[in-house]
Amino acid sequence: MRTVLILTFLLVSTPFFSQTEDEKQIKAIYDEALTNGKAYDWLNYLSNQIGGRLSGSVQAQHAVEYTKAQLDSLGLDKVWLQPVMVPKWVRGVPEFAYFETKPGLTTNVPICALGGSVATPAGGLKASVVEVQGIEDLEKLGREGIEGKIVFYNRPMDPTLINTFSAYSGCVDQRYSGAAEAAKYGALGTIVRSMNLRLDDYPHTGSMGYGDTPVNQRIPAAAISTNGAELLSTTLKLNPEAKFYFKQNCKQLEDVQSYNVIGEITGSTYPNEIMVVGGHLDSWDLGDGSHDDGAGCVQSMDVLRLLKETGYKPKRTLRVVLFMNEENGMRGGNKYAEVARNRNEQHVFALESDSGGFTPRGFSIDASAENVKQIQGWRDLFEPYLIHMFYEGGSGADIGPLKEDGMVLAGLRPDTQRYFDHHHAENDTFEHVNKRELELGAATMASLVYLIDKYGTVPTNKIKG
């Protein structure tokens, strides 16, 4: 009798926890992603069968055809290609570099041409080196200290910044504008320390630009590995007369036609309200672009599949967009926004994944304070999946051109600590992507898309009112 009383007391006194509809749907999304996810298989094909997808390349076109076929297989309401003209820059034969401390005494160092750079003279370029910590040092040295030399930009990423993207932002100007600025002082070329917190032998490419520098005054620009940069810097301190030689054969060709790849599920209640999820299909050519941004593309594709497979019927039109040419031109993102405005399409939300396929931590949100607060209010729904970061900030390069008053933009934010070990380098390859982390990212994105679609965003007029 006593045992029965105790059991009765426990049943009465123990709170009854029932899952809400949102908790059930989000769990279903995560369960599907972690047991039947397609993102990893899609990425395997993109990376290992197609490879690096430099804008305008044959590989980029193969990626367009492959991803369109996969979207077609998902039974979406509509799949199409959106034409966009893109730049075609080619690297040519592999670059070569060394520094010389005495005539005939040389040490080879790993370099790669920066995307958009001109070539060196056919026989290469050899000159004395001046080391600087950033563009601001050029004015201090003046023409007398720079003319006829190679400028070596050696400002490292700040290791004390926990957000490695902030560290990247703190020194990427020397990569993008370093050559254009050095040319004003008569420099013959530039060598830039790779944007990488780790010391290794991988040079990291990336976009650079000449601005309004006349064509005949443009100088070649290359990245040097972090180990190479350390060695060169030490050598120059011991022997300021050391010379640097490098040869690269890159070339800018005429623009070619490519495509954004788009698929959608038509909304059941508000079909004219469009929600976008996407990543960029192009990559640099040194690795296979698995983290940047094959991961974001396959996660975005799987978002629509996850919602379909879990039986969710979206109120609004959900659209996946795989943007072309983010890396060296932003043509795809700009074209998508241009077409959307010409058609008077009403975009209410856009989410981009372009920070690698690492463990998801949360989202940065570019929106009104009320919309940021709304998303932060869903924190408890994400907590069981270790998603905890919901902060006001940037979203993504490709969805940025869509920005209008009242629209909500967001970016998936994975853990950033390993991202720049691979960013734009030869080791951005499939084996460095963890299957479970990739799938968790896709499920996290799908969960936010679900919540935004179900509850809508806070209208601008409500905020003003």
Side-chain angles (χ1 to χ4, degrees), residues 292-309:
D292 187 19
D293 183 31
C297 288
V298 297
Q299 286 173 329
S300 299
M301 293 164 66
D302 216 24
V303 166
L304 270 63
R305 189 195 68 85
L306 290 170
L307 294 172
K308 278 179 63 69
E309 289 299 315

Side-chain angles (χ1 to χ4, degrees), residues 33-83:
L34 294 171
T35 56
N36 299 304
K38 301 299 182 186
Y40 195 68
D41 290 340
W42 288 330
L43 185 61
N44 184 12
Y45 192 94
L46 275 178
S47 300
N48 293 321
Q49 299 302 314
I50 296 176
R53 304 168 298 280
L54 189 59
S55 175
S57 67
V58 171
Q59 291 85 353
Q61 180 58 30
H62 287 168
V64 166
E65 295 165 0
Y66 172 72
T67 51
K68 180 181 184 298
Q70 297 309 304
L71 291 178
D72 280 331
S73 72
L74 298 182
L76 306 180
D77 294 320
K78 186 178 180 183
V79 178
W80 72 99
L81 300 180
Q82 184 178 76

Side-chain angles (χ1 to χ4, degrees), residues 145-306:
I146 295 174
E147 190 170 22
K149 298 180 180 180
I150 293 171
V151 172
F152 169 38
Y153 290 100
N154 193 33
R155 182 167 77 251
M157 292 174 65
D158 185 349
T160 68
L161 297 175
I162 303 303
N163 184 335
T164 61
F165 279 88
S166 296
Y168 175 75
S169 298
C171 59
V172 74
D173 63 329
Q174 61 190 342
R175 187 195 76 197
Y176 187 80
S177 304
E181 294 301 319
K184 297 176 182 177
Y185 295 89
L188 299 180
T190 61
I191 300 295
V192 184
R193 182 189 183 99
S194 287
M195 307 291 110
N196 180 12
L197 283 157
R198 186 174 67 174
L199 290 176
D200 62 25
D201 294 318
Y202 294 107
H204 294 230
T205 191
S207 184
M208 59 84 62
Y210 290 105
D212 57 2
T213 306
V215 174
N216 63 352
Q217 295 178 25
R218 296 180 179 182
I219 61 176
I224 185 171
S225 72
T226 48
N227 273 340
E230 293 288 298
L231 182 59
L232 178 58
S233 180
T234 300
T235 299
L236 290 171
K237 288 178 175 63
L238 297 172
N239 182 2
E241 302 305 315
K243 296 185 184 298
F244 193 89
Y245 170 88
F246 72 112
K247 182 179 180 181
Q248 57 191 41
N249 304 274
C250 41
K251 185 181 295 185
Q252 189 73 49
L253 304 176
E254 294 294 323
D255 289 358
V256 298
Q257 183 169 288
S258 189
Y259 303 89
N260 293 328
V261 183
I262 307 173
E264 72 176 26
I265 300 172
T266 304
S268 60
T269 309
Y270 311 108
N272 293 327
E273 294 186 10
I274 299 170
M275 298 174 58
V276 165
V277 58
H280 65 85
L281 193 53
D282 64 305
S283 75
W284 288 107
D285 56 320
L286 298 179
D288 59 44
S290 286
H291 276 298
D292 187 19
D293 183 31
C297 288
V298 297
Q299 286 173 329
S300 299
M301 293 164 66
D302 216 24
V303 166
L304 270 63
R305 189 195 68 85
L306 290 170

Side-chain angles (χ1 to χ4, degrees), residues 75-123:
L76 306 180
D77 294 320
K78 186 178 180 183
V79 178
W80 72 99
L81 300 180
Q82 184 178 76
V84 54
M85 297 299 293
V86 300
K88 184 177 177 67
W89 177 84
V90 295
R91 183 174 300 281
V93 299
E95 302 85 349
F96 177 71
Y98 62 78
F99 60 80
E100 182 181 70
T101 50
K102 293 181 180 179
L105 183 60
T106 63
T107 302
N108 294 356
V109 288
I111 70 160
C112 65
L114 293 178
S117 175
V118 297
T120 59

Side-chain angles (χ1 to χ4, degrees), residues 323-385:
F323 299 94
M324 184 56 69
N325 184 231
E326 185 271 349
E327 292 291 5
N328 61 335
M330 279 291 300
R331 302 279 186 89
N334 288 322
K335 172 57 73 171
Y336 181 83
E338 174 192 332
V339 172
R341 291 194 175 95
N342 289 342
R343 294 179 176 174
N344 293 316
E345 291 181 339
Q346 182 185 0
H347 284 72
V348 296
F349 174 76
L351 169 63
E352 185 164 353
S353 172
D354 186 17
S355 299
F358 301 101
T359 301
R361 300 298 189 201
F363 302 94
S364 60
I365 308 155
D366 180 7
S368 68
E370 289 297 320
N371 277 301
V372 173
K373 184 177 179 181
Q374 177 192 36
I375 294 173
Q376 290 173 335
W378 296 324
R379 188 187 304 269
D380 288 348
L381 292 170
F382 285 96
E383 187 180 26
Y385 309 98

